[in-house]
Amino acid sequence: MDMLIFQLEKQNSKPLYEQLYNGIKNAIIQKQIEVGTKLPSKRKLAEFLNISQTTIEIAYSQLLAEGYITSVPRVGYFVEEIDELPYVEKIQETNIEIPQKEQKQYQYDFHPGKVDEDSFPFALWRTYVKDIFDISSKELLQMGEPQGEIELRNEIANYLFQSRGIYCEPEQIVIGSGTEHLLPMILRLFEDNSILALENPGYSAIPRIHLNNNAIPISVDEEGLIVDELEKTNANIVYITPSHQFPTGAVLSATRRAQLLKWASKDTNRYIIEDDYDSEFRYIGKPIPALHGLDQNNKVIYMSTFTKSLMPSLRVAYMVLPHHLLMKYKEMFSYYSATVPRFVQHILANFMKDGHFSKHLNRMRKIYRKKHDKLKHTLSTYYPEVTITGDQAGMHVLLSVPIDKSIEQLKQLANDCGISITPVTNYLLKPIEYEHPTFLLGFGGIPLNEIENAIHQLMRCWGIQKNP
């Protein structure tokens, strides 16, 4: 063939090999070089273009890798026949502005998922991070156990026994990067025709995780999930937050706990998924025992996270599987890799082993109790017309406002004042008529000394007069 003629710009920011590669590739695509044509040798082309053979070799190697040319040992490189459609070049559009979702900064954010940033033990945590990223931990560069590191599972098992009355073996624990990761795994352990029941209102991500969209909503009242309603359905799995129902804050009563466990025991295919997401923070009475600790028939799959107790960004959750489901889990997911980095798991395990997790929890309980009490005191003292419910535990309360405005209007008014607040309607699986507009009032992320002012500012935005 005639020597390839390409304009290579040595002052161009694009490397010479890339210019050459693009030139030959485009010539092949546009049929300027016929199929079967032998390309010049690296030496001859280098001399002709006055560039190094290495540049030619890199360009040819890329063309070879992408299938534009083929190599015949001791003969040379030849143009390959290519299908037209896959190789049609996209027109490069420049200066395309992709709209970015604006992240509004709020003066006060009452989101229920916020934690107290100022109280996190950064210096102590940094020590554990530095200690684990060391040559002595080089084995952590390799893949770990699919269920999670045994060191962390040991610590979680000890913690559950001491704090939640749950006896389980580390082998029953599976660690994952969040409820959103673990729940689909749980659901795959059951038959395809299984039917899931969910609390209404409830955790808003669950319906999206449950892709079959055949979940049955079960109403919640001041005693938690209405089990009588569940018993009238054909559901065989129920997802529940019994210790602090999300978002209402209701605690599943002792009578309904017994009723729910009895419901599960009546059929071999019935199970309860217990999400104990923020059981650590309770302000009235004794801690509520976990359903799992009361279960005598291995019908409860326990789940929890470190989202509220440490930080949402840690992305460490875990579940405890009954032994018979554990065997099925190992058959189905033995090829899975752990979704939480091994280094992160060991940092957390060491933090727990040395007693710092328990100390941190005790400290945060006191901080959140003070915030909780300040929130309740401010509302009850200055705004007695509003109603607070779900205030026994957790890091938010439900606030009902007797005002002649819609939920959307009130949300927008708060937004205009630099305040973010979440309506309870965000968590409905099916519509519920509320007597008054109702919102989740999270206090975890607002500093203690600003809670009173945050409440006053919110009420001013809504036109609610302060009680003198």
Side-chain angles (χ1 to χ4, degrees), residues 181-447:
H181 168 72
L182 293 177
L183 188 60
M185 298 176 79
I186 293 174
L187 296 176
R188 281 184 59 189
L189 297 176
F190 304 109
E191 301 298 327
D192 291 339
N193 60 356
S194 291
I195 297 176
L196 178 67
L198 301 172
E199 299 166 316
N200 185 48
Y203 178 37
S204 60
I206 300 301
R208 294 194 290 273
I209 293 169
H210 187 60
L211 299 178
N212 292 337
N213 294 320
N214 62 345
I216 299 175
I218 306 295
S219 303
V220 173
D221 62 15
E222 64 278 0
E223 291 186 57
L225 183 95
I226 301 176
V227 184
D228 286 343
E229 195 174 307
L230 172 67
E231 290 175 333
K232 295 173 184 176
T233 72
N234 58 347
N236 63 306
I237 305 167
V238 60
Y239 172 92
I240 185 171
T241 52
S243 297
H244 183 235
Q245 201 279 328
F246 187 87
T248 68
V251 176
L252 193 67
S253 66
T255 300
R256 290 195 184 169
R257 284 167 183 262
Q259 187 182 2
L260 185 61
L261 289 169
K262 187 175 180 180
W263 167 86
S265 69
K266 288 180 179 178
D267 193 302
T268 55
N269 293 321
R270 287 182 180 176
Y271 286 91
I272 301 164
I273 302 172
E274 175 183 16
D275 190 340
D276 209 24
Y277 73 103
D278 71 351
S279 61
E280 294 91 354
F281 306 110
R282 181 165 175 79
Y283 312 116
I284 300 172
K286 296 179 180 179
I288 303 299
L291 265 179
H292 190 285
L294 305 174
D295 178 28
Q296 301 296 314
N297 299 298
N298 294 314
K299 288 292 186 174
V300 178
I301 300 165
Y302 181 91
M303 298 178 67
S304 192
T305 78
F306 292 91
T307 294
K308 297 290 183 72
S309 55
L310 274 174
M311 49 180 150
S313 62
L314 190 64
R315 304 307 300 151
V316 178
Y318 55 91
M319 61 182 176
V320 180
L321 293 174
H323 281 289
H324 58 286
L325 288 181
L326 180 63
M327 295 301 104
K328 192 168 183 180
Y329 163 85
K330 289 188 174 181
E331 289 174 10
M332 295 182 68
F333 299 106
S334 59
Y335 61 94
Y336 269 44
S337 299
T339 52
V340 180
R342 295 185 73 191
F343 283 97
V344 171
Q345 294 187 55
H346 280 269
I347 292 166
L348 180 54
N350 293 339
F351 189 77
M352 296 179 75
K353 183 179 180 182
D354 293 343
H356 296 301
F357 178 63
S358 296
K359 291 176 184 175
H360 176 68
L361 269 184
N362 289 335
R363 184 167 60 252
M364 296 315 297
R365 284 190 188 102
K366 293 174 184 176
I367 290 171
Y368 290 136
R369 179 184 291 274
K370 287 180 181 178
K371 290 187 177 189
H372 167 272
D373 293 348
K374 172 65 77 173
L375 185 86
K376 282 189 62 178
H377 175 76
T378 302
L379 287 168
S380 60
T381 302
Y382 299 106
Y383 308 99
E385 66 269 41
V386 305
T387 303
I388 310 168
T389 54
D391 58 341
Q392 298 182 38
M395 291 157 62
H396 75 272
V397 299
L398 276 193
L399 177 73
S400 293
V401 188
I403 191 169
D404 190 22
K405 285 186 173 68
S406 70
I407 281 179
E408 284 304 315
Q409 287 174 325
L410 292 175
K411 182 182 175 183
Q412 188 59 52
L413 285 170
N415 194 285
D416 293 342
C417 292
I419 298 174
S420 175
I421 189 164
T422 307
V424 72
T425 49
N426 283 16
Y427 303 97
L428 297 182
L429 277 73
K430 69 176 181 180
I432 295 176
E433 289 294 328
Y434 288 90
E435 184 180 359
H436 301 297
T438 303
F439 296 85
L440 279 72
L441 207 60
F443 51 83
I446 301 178

Side-chain angles (χ1 to χ4, degrees), residues 82-135:
I82 58 173
D83 294 330
E84 289 186 16
L85 185 60
Y87 289 91
V88 172
E89 291 289 283
K90 293 177 81 173
I91 298 173
Q92 292 295 319
E93 298 183 60
T94 57
N95 300 323
I96 300 175
E97 289 190 13
I98 299 174
Q100 299 292 323
K101 187 176 180 181
E102 186 179 348
Q103 193 74 24
K104 179 167 180 176
Q105 296 297 314
Y106 295 98
Q107 182 180 2
Y108 297 115
D109 191 345
F110 285 105
H111 192 280
K114 296 284 184 179
V115 298
D116 191 307
E117 298 169 356
D118 295 331
S119 301
F120 185 77
F122 282 103
L124 184 60
W125 187 262
R126 188 186 305 118
T127 301
Y128 281 88
V129 172
K130 288 169 65 177
D131 286 347
I132 203 68
F133 282 98
D134 185 81
I135 188 66

